[in-house]
Structure formats: C-alpha cells, structure tokens
C-alpha cells in the first residue's frame, strides 16, 4: 500500500500582507533576516599533464578526453616539449579543500563554518599572476552551477613545466617524458543564513490527507507490434508474368500492403482511498451548575454558575474511495512507406509512401495526487450544547464520535482524473474529472490494411537479361506517439517475387530463291513448302535478290511472348553477305563480309548481286540485336532464331552472370551464286538467199538483224526485236517476204551467246549437242531423224557416231563475224596480264602490253579453232571474249581484283552447218539392213527427201573441263528454261501457206531437205 500524506495548507499570500499593512498605514515588520558570508581568497592548484608517446609526440588528458600535440622540435631527451597547445578542462571545486570559516560581510567578527551556511557557491576565479605567462597562459575561466570551474590554458614549449620525469622508454630505448604544468588560481566561497524571529511555540497540527493505493484493479491490454506485410512486383500492363519474363523497356508495377498502424496498449485501473486525519472539530459547551452555601445561621444561599468551554478534538481515519485509469504503456506507430529492391526497378530501388492518417496523444502521471483530488479538510464546528451539572460543575464530554460523525457527513467524495489518451482524433481514455471513479477507457481499434502501389516503373531498356533476379521488400513504421518515449522506428521484411528481365529478340530470316532464273542442270532440290533452314537458295549473278529480316516469330510460350512481333525490343538488324553486294539502286556498295544494318521497321530489303561474285556456295549471316545488347564483344551472347534459353550458362553477362540469356538472335541461309547462259542468236547465214538479211548492199557492212530465241531478253523483258527475227530461222523468216525460203544444206550459220559468271578460265567452254528432226512441208509430221553423209574415206557416216570425224574450225576475229573491238582488246589485255593462266607466258614475254595487244588482234584472234564434228561442238576459250565491267567501272574494294572483273561476262562465238550432201532417215533406222534389201543410194525409199530438216541445239556450259557434269543448260535446267520462260520462244508458228508447225525448245534453223548448196555454187566446205 502506497501512503502519501498531504499536509494542511495555511498559506496567506505575501502580497496580501503588504497590501493590508499599507491600507492601515502601519509599517511592515519582516520576521526573517538573511545574512551573507564570504571567505578569503582560496588557492587552488589544478595542473596540465603531458605524456610523451612512443613516436615522440604528446597527449594531455582532461575532463573531455585527450588533447594531442606535436613534439615542438623533435627532441627525444629531457628537453623535449609539446608545441604550445590550448587545453580545456573542468573541475569540481567541491573536491578541493573548503575554507575553515566565512565572515559576515557586515560584521567580520561574525563567522560561520561552511556547514552552517546555506547556498554555498564559489565566486571570482582568478589567475595567479606570478605563474600566468611563465608556467601557463590563461585563456578563459568561469564558474558553472556554483561549484564547477571551466577554464582553458595554453602550455607547452616556451612555458616552464613544474615537473619533468622520465616515465618510460620506447622500443628504441628513447625516453618518454611526463611533464606537469601547475595552473595556480584563486577563488572565494559565499553562503548565507536566515534567522526566524517569530516562531510559533505551540504549533497546531494541521489536518492531513493520506493517499492509500491499494493495488491494481481491472486492466485493458492489447497490442499489434508484428504486422503481416505482403507485396509483389508485376507487369504494369498485366501482359507479362514477371517471374517468367518481362522485357526491358516495359513497365513494372509494385504493390505492398500492411497494417495502417501498430500499437501497444496497457491501461491499468488504480484503486485506493484517501484518509483524512487530524480533522479539527470544536464544540462550545455552556456548563451550568448551582452551588449552595449555608451560613452560620444556617441560611442556605444558592449561587448559579455558568462557564463556556470550547472543546477541540482532531478526528482521523475518515476514508473516501477512488479509482482512476493510468497508462502503463501507450505506443502508436504509423505505416510510413514500403521499400522494394530488385534489379529491374529504376535504380534497383523503390520507395512507396503510405497514405495514412494516424494521430495519437496522451498524458501520463504516476503521481496519485495528479489523479485524485480530495475535498478540502473542513474545520468542523459542532452545534453548541449546554450541560447542567446540577449542584456541581459538569465535566465536558468527549466529542470524538460526534466529531467523527460530523466529519463523515461533511467531507465529500474524491474527484478523479484518468491519464488521457487520444487516437485518430477520438478519446479512448478520458481525463475529464469525475467523482470517485474514472471512466473505463476504450481499446485501440484493430488497424485496417493500407495498399501501397507504384505504377509506370520503367525497366531501363539497357538492362541486360537476368533470370529471376531476387527481390526484397520492407515496410517501415515510425512512432506517432509514445507515452514513455520507448517507441522507436520499426521495419519488417516481406517476401517479394523475383523478376526475370528477358528482352526477346528473334530473327527468322528469309531470302529470295531465284529458281525462275536458276539454269543449273542439277541444282539442290528445294523443299515443298520452302524451308529456309534447309534449302539452298539460288542467287543469280547480275540480278536483284531480297532478304527478309522479320521482327516477328516464335519465342517462349509464356505470357506476352509466343509468336508475335518483337520490333519494339529490337534496336538493330543486320545482314552480312560473304560476297560483294549493291543496294537495289546501286547507290551503295558493300564489300564482302560487311555487316549491313537494316532499319528495324523494314522487313524486306532488296540488293543487287554484282556479276563478278564467284559462283559457289555461301552462307548469309543474319542477326538482330535486342535493345539491351551489350555495345561490344559478343554483345551479350547469341542464339539461333530467338534468345529463348534462359538461364543460358553459355554466357556470362554482368550482373546476372550465368543466369542471363543471349541478347542477339542469329540466323543463316545457305545460298548458291549461279551464273547465266543467254542471248543465243543467229548472226549470219552464208546462204546467198539470206545474205541481204545480214549484210548491207556492199556485202560487208553488217545490218543490225539477227535471229533471237524470242522477243524477250535475258529476264523476260521485251528485247526490242520483232518478227520475223526469232528462232528458228525457217521459211517465212526472211524479212523480204520469201515465204518458201529456208536454208540450203551445206550453208553455215554463225551464232553467238553470252554467259555471266565463272566462265573465264582456260578450261571453261560451251558445249552444243545438235539433234535433228524432219518435218513435212505441211508441218503435220515431225520426227526425230539420223543424218548420214559421205566423207573422203567412208560412205554413210552417221552424224554423232564414232566415224563422225569431220571437224569444223572457227576463227574468232573473222571479218564477217563483227566481234566488237573492245571485247578483242579486253581479251588481249587479260591474256597479257595473266598469261600463266593461259599458257601464254612464253609468248607474252616477247612483247610489251600494247604490242601484244596488236599481235593478238592481228594474229591470235584470227587463228582457226577446232570446235568438233557435226555430232557435237565445243566453243572453248579461244572463241570467247570478255565484256565485263572494267576496273575503273567498279568499286576499288571488290572481293575480286577489279582488273579481273572484265572476265566475269563473256560472249561465245560459233558456227555450224549440215553437210551439203546428206541422207536423212527416221531415228534409229538400220541403214545397213536397208542396204541388204536393195541398192542403198540417194533414191532409196528409206531416205526422207521433201520437207525440212530442223537443227536443234542442246546448249550447256562446261566448267573447268568437266564434260561429265555440265553446269548450266539453256533450256534443260531443272527449274526453268531460259529459252522459253525468259526469252519467249514460241512452240509453233503458221507459215505463209497456213500450215502450222510445232516447235521444240532448241530449234535453231530449218534446212531444206531437198535443196543443197551444191545446187548453187561450189560448197563452202570440202565435202
């Protein structure tokens, strides 16, 4: 039980006394007098102690810690001193001897000892001027709180120490000094006494109130100091599952939730009572009595007596109960914010402030007198009473019980006040003053959850890929109110999902496949449908081609990815050709193995393949860079088609290391660069009937007429020629309207054709395989035939048989052939510069370049070249001219030396004829058996005499002398026919008589089956 006694209060304000005496004109008599006492100057002797350290410098110790000082001159003997240094200090003067006596400032004979004085304090600190300046230099001094001396002095070199000692040595044996500088000072002490002249010799004990705390009653406790936070990082758009993957440059959303506030509440009801003691009560008694007196006479006289007596008594033990509520603990924290960390967040950190409105306040006292307010102690006057004692003076009765009953009746109830507590503007513990019992408080209500959300959190586009980068989360609470100041800031972690930064990039490249112009006899077969990852595409020389770098395609099958367009995540696309290319317009040239950037929004790009690119297999490389690709090195790794593998331990990309993914998608396409065989045309016919077609009136100057395969050029566009200047040369082809004029047997026709590509070497050639057909004059019957002729040694030699040995010779630079002079010059210069390639080194060594060129034009180019018998023809290198671009017409950095590019386009010259005297039989007829049946002569019924003989050419290119594997075909290519598909050969015609003739690819010329050059003049051949 706690007992607190409250003394009776009989205080009359001092000011009221003054007013009273002034009003009555009297003088004010002061009943107490203060006397002041002071001492003589008292010396004190603090000191500054310097201690030398191992290295030679000094340190001083003071009230505040250590003060360092350098060695003034570096000495290591007993004359070493610190540099002059200011040293502050603080001394408790009560630890110094006190003066024995202090003197009354008005009467020095009146002395007191310090123990007899009140308010003892030190005054007036002074420097000892006999030491100040020599042993120390005083800077400042003052007395604080009556007994603390704060001062600062300078000591060190140039000032005299009062003591020098060697207190030790360092590891090198050098002495270490202890220096003492005495700081002599003086102070005085002062105190006072109070003498009370008007003391009450018999004080009345005042009424008192005791507070008795009996213990704790009810209690209200509650707390929530451990919240249940949670949080997540997600895709702001909801498109992605960030745990599986979200691209850089996308936006994140962070969400956290936690309780709005935390609290600790411990409210206790305090119960007890107040006890009123020494309650003064008084009662006035009137005592009456009558006495008698008998005199000597026996007379009795009566005397009435009356006496007033005031009876006083002090009663105690009057009790009044109370209860009030006291706060033992009341702490409130509010949620301030949440924090996230993750690699994907801007700056890898996020703070989200919480929108809360939490306020709290309170007031607390553990002093019962601040809570219980008892009524005033009354002075009780009991009702007066008269007591008649009869014949004797009555005694005054005990009034204690009456006084106590009166006190019980008069003393009221206690008033009480609780501690106060407020929460969010509402009172939960009311401190309104009430009677006896304080109102029961309320509880802090349970908190609701606060949502904290941040949106639009950009993932830095340059952040590299990182598989499930770890996250952390925390919520933070700050104290709003703490009744005892014990609350401090709190933070609590919560789990947050990881985030995978995975910027997708795809490259499912495509390239055109120029099958429509692929003249190869045995090309690699393509898939159906085309498969760019397996097929070998055909790029045709001197033609455009396209490559496609789509930004769409299949990626990971996770939300937001899949098969879609990824252009927003691609910063660059590139293609690299292992060969030279032009842009489609030829405005820009890219040498081989150059990475060419393609705008991201451009899917298909057209290029042009220069004619000089070597014919062979190539691999085109494609790559697409994600926006977060590294700027150099391996750019953060690459993966075929799409960077779908994550994590990909093949790469080590900071900061994810092996938990990253590729940042570049790569692809490749296999292509074959293929040349061309084209522009076959008949340029001259020696038959006199046809001379006017090809020669002007002088018989020498060429016309512009020639007979082309069709009306179209190399790629199907109109050439500019017109009928009848198309193949085959036939009756009706003569421009002068000769409807029945074909060519007589024995007359030769000249032709040439062109190639592009690797047909420039000594072993490259054109091979022609003639086949023959007979067609009736009305065109109704066409059949394959064999042709026989007689030579000097054999009768009935079958064309194409082993006996077919009549070899044709052709001269390149023949007057009637009209080979362009520049092509002849091209040949001469190339042969001179690369003579070793053509076995001409011995010849060229005899000439300068220009001289050799003249020699070539006049002699070498005119030499007859054997091309083969009737059954086959080979146009070899000596019947070829170079007509490609010259060195000054191409870029200087081509993959083929510029001066060799002229050889990459060629013209091949040839001529052919049928024997003047020939024998035509149906294909595979057994002419020997026919001879046994009847006389085998020109009149034999086996021989076909009327109608026309059609010469059909199967034209192929031969690379590097490989006769068993011809490369290009004019019309027997696997995928196309240059003869028909491009150059527009017609498969039939109607002659001037209305007869329809069906044609076949390769048909070059119609010979009369029954007309020979022998009928005109001497044959131009020897047979």
């Amino acid at each position: 039980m706690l007992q607190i006694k409250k003394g009776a209060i009989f205080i009359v304000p001092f000011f009221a006394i003054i007013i009273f005496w002034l009003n009555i004109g009297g003088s004010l008599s002061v009943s107490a007098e203060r006397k002041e006492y002071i001492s003589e100057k008292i010396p004190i002797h603090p000191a500054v102690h310097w201690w030398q350290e191992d290295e030679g410098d000094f340190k001083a110790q003071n009230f505040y810690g250590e003060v360092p000082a350098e060695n003034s001159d570096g000495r290591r003997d007993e004359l070493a001193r610190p540099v002059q240094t200011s040293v502050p200090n603080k001394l408790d003067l009560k630890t110094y001897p006190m003066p024995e006596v202090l003197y009354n400032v008005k009467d020095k004979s009146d002395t007191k000892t310090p123990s007899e004085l009140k308010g003892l304090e030190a005054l007036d600190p002074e420097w000892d001027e006999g030491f100040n300046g020599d042993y120390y230099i005083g800077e400042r001094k003052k007395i604080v709180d009556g007994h603390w001396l704060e001062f600062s002095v300078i000591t060190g070199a140039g000032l005299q120490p009062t003591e020098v000692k060697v207190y030790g040595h360092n590891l090198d044996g050098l002495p270490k000094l202890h220096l003492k500088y005495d700081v002599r000072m003086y102070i005085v002490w002062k105190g006072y006494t109070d003498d009370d002249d008007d003391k009450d010799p018999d004080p009345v004990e005042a009424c008192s109130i005791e507070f008795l705390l009996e213990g704790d009653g009810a209690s209200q406790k509650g707390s929530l100091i451990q919240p249940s936070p949670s949080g997540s990082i997600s895709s702001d758009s909801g498109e992605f599952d960030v745990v599986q993957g979200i691209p850089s440059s996308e936006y994140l959303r962070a969400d956290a939730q936690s309780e709005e506030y935390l609290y600790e509440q411990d409210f206790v009801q305090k119960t007890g009572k107040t006890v009123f003691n020494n309650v003064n009560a008084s009662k006035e008694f009137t005592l009456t009595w009558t006495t008698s007196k008998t005199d000597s006479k026996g007379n009795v006289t009566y005397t009435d007596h009356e006496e007033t007596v005031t009876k006083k008594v002090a009663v105690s033990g009057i009790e009044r109960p109370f209860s009030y509520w006291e706060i033992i603990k009341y702490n409130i924290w509010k949620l301030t914010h949440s924090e996230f960390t993750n690699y994907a967040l801007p700056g890898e950190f996020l703070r989200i402030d919480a929108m809360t409105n939490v306020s709290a306040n309170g007031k607390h006292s553990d002093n019962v007198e601040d809570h219980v307010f008892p009524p005033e102690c009354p002075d009780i006057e009991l009702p007066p009473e008269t007591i008649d004692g009869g014949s004797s003076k009555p005694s005054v009765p005990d009034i204690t019980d009456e006084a106590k009953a009166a006190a019980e009746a008069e003393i009221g109830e206690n008033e009480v006040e609780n501690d106060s507590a407020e929460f969010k503007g509402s009172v939960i513990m009311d401190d309104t003053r009430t009677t006896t019992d304080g109102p029961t408080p309320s509880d802090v209500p349970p908190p609701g959850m606060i949502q904290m959300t941040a949106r639009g959190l950009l993932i830095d586009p340059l952040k590299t890929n990182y598989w499930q980068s770890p996250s952390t989360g925390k919520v933070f609470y700050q104290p709003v109110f703490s009744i005892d100041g014990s609350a401090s800031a709190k933070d609590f972690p919560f789990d947050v999902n990881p985030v995978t930064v995975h910027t997708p990039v795809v490259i499912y490249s495509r390239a055109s496949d120029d099958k429509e112009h692929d003249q190869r006899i045995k090309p690699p077969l393509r898939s159906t449908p085309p498969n760019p990852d397996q097929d070998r595409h055909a790029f045709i020389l001197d033609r455009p081609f396209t490559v496609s770098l789509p930004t769409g395609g299949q990626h990971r099958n996770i939300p937001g990815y899949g098969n879609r367009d990824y252009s927003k995540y691609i910063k660059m696309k590139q293609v690299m050709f292992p060969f030279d290319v032009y842009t489609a317009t030829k405005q820009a040239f890219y040498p081989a193995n150059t990475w060419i950037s393609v705008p991201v929004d451009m899917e298909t790009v057209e290029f042009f393949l220069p004619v000089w690119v070597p014919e062979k297999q190539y691999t085109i490389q494609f790559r697409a860079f994600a926006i977060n690709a590294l700027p150099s090195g391996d750019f953060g790794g690459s993966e075929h088609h799409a960077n779908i593998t994550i994590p990909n331990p093949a790469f080590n990309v900071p900061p994810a290391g092996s938990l990253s993914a590729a940042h570049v998608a790569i692809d490749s396409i296999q292509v074959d660069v293929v040349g061309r065989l084209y522009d076959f045309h008949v340029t001259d016919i020696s038959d006199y009937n046809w001379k006017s077609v090809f020669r002007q009136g002088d018989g020498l100057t060429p016309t512009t007429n020639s007979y082309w395969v069709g009306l179209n050029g190399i790629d199907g566009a109109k050439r500019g020629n017109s009928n009848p200047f198309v193949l085959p040369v036939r009756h009706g082809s003569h421009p002068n309207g000769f409807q029945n004029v074909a060519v007589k047997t024995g007359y030769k026709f000249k032709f040439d054709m062109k190639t592009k590509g690797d047909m420039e070497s000594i072993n490259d050639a054109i091979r022609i395989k003639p086949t023959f057909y007979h067609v009736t004059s009305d065109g109704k019957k066409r059949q394959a035939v064999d042709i026989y002729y007689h030579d000097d040694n054999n009768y009935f030699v079958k064309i194409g048989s082993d006996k077919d040995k009549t070899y044709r010779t052709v001269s390149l630079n023949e007057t009637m052939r009209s080979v362009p002079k520049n092509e002849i010059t091209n040949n001469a210069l190339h042969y001179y510069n690369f003579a070793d390639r053509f076995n001409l080194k011995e010849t060229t060594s005899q000439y300068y370049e220009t001289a050799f060129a003249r020699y070539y034009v006049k002699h070498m180019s005119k030499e007859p070249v054997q091309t083969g018998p009737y059954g086959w023809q080979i146009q070899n290198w000596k019947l070829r001219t170079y007509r490609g671009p010259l060195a000054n017409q191409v870029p200087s950095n081509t993959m083929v030396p510029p001066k060799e590019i002229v050889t990459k386009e060629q013209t091949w010259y040839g001529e052919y004829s049928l024997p003047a005297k020939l024998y035509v039989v149906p294909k595979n007829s057994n002419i020997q058996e026919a001879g046994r049946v009847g006389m085998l002569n020109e009149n034999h019924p086996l021989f076909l005499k009327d109608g026309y003989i059609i010469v059909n050419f199967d034209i192929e290119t031969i690379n590097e002398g490989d006769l068993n594997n011809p490369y290009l075909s004019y019309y027997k290519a696997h995928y196309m026919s240059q003869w028909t598909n491009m150059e527009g050969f017609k498969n039939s015609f109607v002659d001037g008589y209305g007869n329809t003739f069906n044609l076949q690819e390769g048909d070059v010329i119609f010979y009369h089956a029954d007309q020979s050059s022998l009928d005109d003049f001497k044959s131009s051949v020897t047979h």
Side-chain angles (χ1 to χ4, degrees):
M1 175 184 292
L2 177 63
Q3 177 174 312
I4 301 174
K5 186 171 184 178
K6 182 172 182 176
I9 301 174
F10 300 99
I11 298 176
V12 179
F14 181 69
F15 181 73
I17 295 174
I18 295 173
I19 298 301
F20 173 75
W21 282 102
L22 289 175
N23 286 339
I24 65 174
S27 64
L28 179 62
S29 174
V30 179
S31 62
E33 180 181 350
R34 174 169 289 189
K35 297 178 181 179
E36 293 186 350
Y37 294 80
I38 194 167
S39 72
E40 299 290 346
K41 289 197 298 183
I42 305 298
I44 59 172
H45 302 114
V48 176
H49 294 267
W50 289 102
W51 302 86
Q52 193 174 21
E53 300 184 299
D54 287 345
E55 296 79 10
D57 292 338
F58 291 79
K59 281 188 178 178
Q61 297 285 339
N62 65 3
F63 179 87
Y64 302 102
E66 292 182 345
V67 178
E70 295 181 354
N71 191 324
S72 64
D73 54 12
R75 300 177 68 110
R76 291 310 304 265
D77 55 18
E78 293 188 8
L79 296 179
R81 299 291 184 268
V83 297
Q84 286 194 7
T85 304
S86 175
V87 179
N89 212 342
K90 184 176 181 180
L91 303 176
D92 186 355
L93 296 175
K94 288 184 178 180
T95 62
Y96 284 78
M98 301 293 288
E100 294 182 357
V101 295
L102 286 83
Y103 302 93
N104 188 322
V105 295
K106 294 181 179 180
D107 182 3
K108 198 167 184 180
S109 63
D110 180 13
T111 63
K112 298 287 185 182
T113 64
S115 63
E116 295 177 303
L117 297 174
K118 300 178 181 177
L120 202 64
E121 61 181 343
L123 301 171
D124 303 325
E126 295 181 10
W127 306 116
D128 185 335
E129 294 304 328
F131 277 72
N132 187 12
D134 295 326
Y135 293 85
Y136 66 90
I137 299 174
E139 289 185 297
R140 60 181 180 81
K141 57 189 186 312
K142 70 175 179 178
I143 300 297
V144 178
D145 295 333
H147 65 95
W148 288 99
L149 171 62
E150 291 184 353
F151 68 95
S152 176
V153 296
I154 295 173
T155 58
L159 298 170
Q160 181 65 40
T162 52
E163 185 176 277
V164 178
K165 290 183 179 180
V166 176
Y167 77 92
H169 295 78
N170 67 5
L171 293 177
D172 296 327
L174 298 175
K176 298 190 294 185
L177 301 184
H178 167 222
L179 307 176
K180 178 183 177 185
Y181 292 84
D182 283 337
V183 181
R184 297 188 179 182
M185 301 177 68
Y186 298 95
I187 59 170
V188 297
W189 289 90
K190 184 178 179 182
Y192 66 89
T193 63
D194 285 328
D195 290 335
D196 191 351
D197 298 330
D198 189 18
K199 297 180 180 178
D200 185 358
D202 185 21
V204 177
E205 188 173 0
C207 172
S208 66
I209 304 172
E210 295 181 44
F211 296 80
L212 302 180
L213 285 172
E214 297 174 341
D216 295 341
S219 67
Q220 288 186 195
K221 294 183 178 182
S223 68
L224 176 64
I225 57 173
Q226 183 68 44
S228 53
S230 61
S232 64
I233 301 175
S234 59
S235 163
D236 194 12
S237 66
E239 182 180 2
F240 303 96
D241 176 355
V242 301
V243 176
Q244 297 187 71
I246 185 171
S248 65
S249 78
E250 290 291 344
Y251 292 88
L252 295 171
R253 165 180 177 154
D255 293 276
Q257 67 171 7
S258 191
E259 284 78 1
E260 183 184 12
Y261 53 85
L262 306 177
Y263 68 94
E264 284 183 301
Q265 167 194 319
D266 187 0
F267 300 160
V268 174
Q269 187 183 43
K270 299 291 186 177
T271 61
K273 57 189 176 181
T274 51
V275 180
F276 294 78
N277 295 316
N278 298 317
V279 178
N280 294 312
S282 63
K283 185 170 183 176
E284 185 177 277
F285 287 93
T286 301
L287 303 179
T288 62
W289 73 93
T290 301
T291 59
S292 62
K293 182 177 181 184
T294 303
D295 59 14
S296 58
K297 294 180 179 183
N299 294 320
V300 178
T301 59
Y302 292 92
T303 302
D304 291 329
H305 300 276
E306 184 177 281
E307 180 179 341
T308 300
V309 177
T310 299
K311 180 69 172 180
K312 294 183 178 180
V313 68
V315 297
S316 298
I318 307 300
E319 298 179 354
R320 292 293 181 265
F322 62 80
S323 72
Y324 62 89
W325 288 84
E326 186 177 321
I327 298 173
I328 305 302
K329 188 176 288 292
Y330 182 48
N331 294 328
I332 302 294
W333 297 263
K334 73 174 180 179
L335 176 64
T336 59
H337 66 283
S338 58
E339 290 181 357
F340 291 80
T341 66
N342 184 271
Y343 167 71
L345 292 171
E348 302 187 17
F349 174 81
L350 173 66
R351 170 180 171 140
I352 311 176
D353 290 330
M355 304 303 293
T356 58
N357 182 21
V358 180
S359 60
N361 207 343
K363 182 179 68 177
H364 164 68
S365 174
D366 57 5
N367 186 351
V368 66
E369 294 186 57
D370 291 334
H371 294 282
V372 180
F373 305 94
E376 295 292 333
C377 277
D379 285 332
I380 297 173
E381 294 184 6
L382 297 174
E385 181 180 344
T386 299
I387 300 176
D388 185 1
S391 59
S392 61
K393 181 180 179 179
S395 59
V396 177
D398 184 5
I399 63 171
T400 300
D401 290 341
E402 184 183 2
K404 190 167 187 176
E408 285 282 3
E410 187 165 339
I411 295 174
E413 297 297 323
N414 293 311
E415 291 184 339
V416 294
E417 290 181 7
N418 293 337
D419 280 347
S420 68
E422 294 181 1
F423 181 73
K424 295 183 82 170
S426 298
V427 175
I428 60 172
M429 182 180 285
D430 193 346
D431 64 349
T432 301
R433 187 171 293 191
T434 58
T435 301
T436 305
D437 299 310
T440 301
S442 304
D443 291 322
V444 176
M449 301 298 286
I450 292 294
Q451 299 292 327
M452 292 163 283
T453 297
R455 305 189 65 174
L457 306 172
L458 175 67
I459 304 174
D460 187 338
L462 299 182
K463 283 192 173 177
T464 53
N465 299 328
Y466 196 151
W467 170 254
Q468 295 193 354
S469 60
S471 305
T472 66
K474 276 186 180 181
V475 289
F476 292 80
Y477 289 83
Q478 285 289 339
V480 173
F481 179 78
S482 179
I483 198 71
D484 58 1
S486 64
S488 59
K490 295 177 179 289
D491 59 83
F492 302 91
F494 59 87
D495 292 334
V496 185
N497 57 279
V499 177
T500 295
V501 176
H502 188 193
T503 305
V505 60
V506 299
I507 186 73
Y508 290 91
S509 58
R510 299 287 185 272
S512 58
D513 183 5
D514 207 351
K515 292 189 296 183
E516 296 79 4
H517 296 83
D518 185 354
Q519 294 177 252
R520 287 177 293 177
I521 298 170
K522 296 180 180 179
L525 300 182
R526 283 32 164 222
S527 306
T528 303
N531 185 338
D533 291 328
Q534 296 181 3
D535 294 346
R536 296 197 67 86
H537 298 61
F539 283 7
I540 308 302
L541 289 173
D542 214 24
R543 274 191 53 76
F545 65 90
T546 61
V547 291
S548 296
L549 296 82
T551 54
Q554 181 64 44
H555 206 271
R556 297 169 63 202
N557 283 317
I558 61 173
Y561 291 69
N563 195 330
R564 54 164 288 189
D565 180 73
Y566 291 98
S567 58
K568 69 183 292 188
Y569 309 119
I570 297 174
K571 70 176 177 182
M572 183 167 59
K573 301 186 300 185
Q574 291 183 326
V575 59
M576 183 175 71
F577 303 104
F579 44 78
D580 299 343
V581 296
Y582 282 106
T583 56
T585 61
K586 296 188 180 180
Q587 296 298 305
F589 171 74
Y590 297 101
N593 300 311
T594 300
W595 282 109
I596 303 169
S597 294
V598 176
V600 174
D601 60 355
M602 181 182 292
E603 179 170 326
T604 300
V605 189
E606 184 173 303
F607 293 92
F608 191 86
L609 188 65
V611 74
W612 61 81
V613 173
E615 292 185 71
K616 63 178 183 178
Q617 296 179 344
Y618 295 94
T619 299
I620 303 174
Q621 303 290 341
F622 300 84
R623 64 187 184 185
F625 293 79
I627 56 176
N628 62 345
L630 297 180
S632 60
D634 67 353
F635 308 105
S638 58
E639 189 170 358
H640 185 240
H641 278 168
N643 61 336
I644 61 176
T645 303
I646 186 169
N648 193 333
F651 313 119
N652 191 313
V653 183
S658 61
L659 296 178
S660 189
H663 295 75
V664 180
I666 59 174
D667 200 4
S668 63
I669 290 180
Q670 309 296 315
V671 300
D672 294 333
V673 170
V674 182
R676 304 295 299 273
L677 170 60
Y678 66 103
D679 272 7
F680 179 91
H681 62 146
V682 173
T683 60
D684 191 23
I685 300 173
S686 61
D687 188 335
Y688 183 79
N689 291 333
W690 293 85
K691 183 176 182 180
S692 63
V693 178
F694 301 100
R695 300 293 167 200
Q696 296 183 24
D698 60 5
L700 294 175
T701 305
T703 66
T704 58
N705 297 328
S706 62
Y707 288 83
W708 301 88
V709 172
L711 297 177
N712 301 332
I714 181 173
D715 292 323
K718 293 298 181 182
R719 181 186 298 280
N721 62 310
S722 59
N723 290 318
F725 296 104
V726 293
L727 296 182
V729 178
R730 55 175 176 83
H731 64 289
S733 292
H734 202 291
N736 296 331
F738 302 146
Q739 296 298 323
N740 60 346
V741 174
V743 180
K744 299 182 180 70
T745 58
Y747 285 117
K748 61 185 177 182
F749 60 93
K750 293 183 175 66
F751 57 86
D752 62 64
M753 69 198 80
K754 297 183 179 70
T755 54
K756 297 177 188 281
D758 294 343
M759 291 289 289
E760 75 273 25
S761 80
I762 191 172
N763 293 317
D764 294 329
I766 299 292
R767 180 169 67 184
I768 298 175
K769 295 187 292 185
T771 55
F772 311 102
Y773 297 87
H774 178 269
V775 62
T776 59
S777 298
D778 59 5
K780 292 182 178 180
K781 183 177 182 181
R782 175 177 175 143
Q783 60 179 319
V785 296
D786 292 327
I787 296 178
Y788 291 82
Y789 67 93
H790 306 316
D791 64 16
D792 294 338
N793 301 313
N794 298 285
Y795 289 98
F796 295 106
V797 176
K798 181 180 177 181
I799 292 179
S801 68
D802 293 340
K803 294 181 179 181
D804 183 16
K805 300 290 187 180
T806 302
Y807 283 85
R808 181 181 305 280
T809 59
V810 178
S811 295
L812 173 64
N813 191 12
E814 180 187 332
T815 302
M816 302 300 289
R817 195 178 300 281
S818 302
V819 178
K821 291 181 179 180
N822 67 305
E823 294 184 16
I824 295 294
T825 302
N826 292 343
N827 280 16
L829 295 177
H830 185 73
Y831 293 155
Y832 184 85
N833 290 317
F834 299 95
D836 55 334
R837 300 180 185 178
F838 301 94
N839 300 320
L840 295 174
K841 197 68 175 176
E842 184 176 345
T843 302
T844 59
S845 64
Q846 302 175 39
Y847 298 92
Y848 290 110
E849 184 176 69
T850 55
F852 175 78
R854 289 194 297 271
Y855 169 75
Y856 176 78
V857 172
K858 292 181 178 181
H859 300 286
M860 284 184 62
S861 64
K862 295 181 180 293
E863 294 174 355
V865 178
Q866 192 177 78
T867 59
Y870 290 109
W872 54 267
Q873 290 283 289
I874 292 288
Q875 273 73 53
N876 67 13
W877 66 281
K878 293 182 178 181
L879 297 175
R880 173 189 63 201
T881 60
Y882 298 130
R883 56 178 186 83
L886 301 180
N888 61 1
Q889 296 173 323
V890 298
S892 61
N893 54 343
T894 53
M895 64 188 297
V896 174
K899 66 181 180 179
E900 296 187 44
I901 291 177
V902 68
T903 68
K904 294 299 182 175
E905 292 186 77
Q906 310 85 20
T907 304
W908 303 83
Y909 296 90
E911 60 187 46
Y912 189 76
S913 66
L914 287 179
K917 184 66 174 179
L918 49 75
Y919 305 90
V920 181
V921 299
K923 187 74 172 173
N924 298 324
S925 296
N926 192 332
I927 193 169
Q928 288 80 9
E929 182 64 26
R932 285 195 293 271
V933 173
M935 178 72 69
L936 190 61
N937 56 36
E938 58 190 37
N939 297 316
H940 195 284
L942 179 63
F943 299 130
L944 303 174
K945 295 184 179 295
D946 65 343
Y948 304 98
I949 301 168
I950 304 172
V951 178
N952 183 286
F953 278 179
D954 179 7
I955 306 173
E956 303 169 329
T957 64
I958 302 298
N959 289 134
E960 296 300 331
D962 188 357
L963 295 171
N964 295 322
N965 293 288
Y967 186 51
L968 302 181
S969 173
Y970 214 118
Y971 59 85
K972 289 186 178 180
H974 182 84
Y975 284 112
M976 62 86 68
S977 167
Q978 178 71 22
W979 195 275
T980 300
N981 300 150
M982 292 297 128
E983 297 184 30
F985 177 75
K986 300 299 183 181
N987 59 8
S988 68
F989 69 90
V990 178
D991 66 10
Y993 307 103
N995 299 312
T996 298
F997 288 77
N998 293 319
L999 301 176
Q1000 293 183 12
E1001 290 182 311
D1003 288 351
V1004 174
I1005 196 166
F1006 276 41
Y1007 278 96
H1008 287 289
D1010 56 358
Q1011 297 182 34
S1012 168
S1013 60
L1014 298 175
D1015 300 333
D1016 295 334
F1017 306 98
K1018 185 178 179 181
S1019 175
S1020 60
V1021 293
T1022 59
H1023 46 79

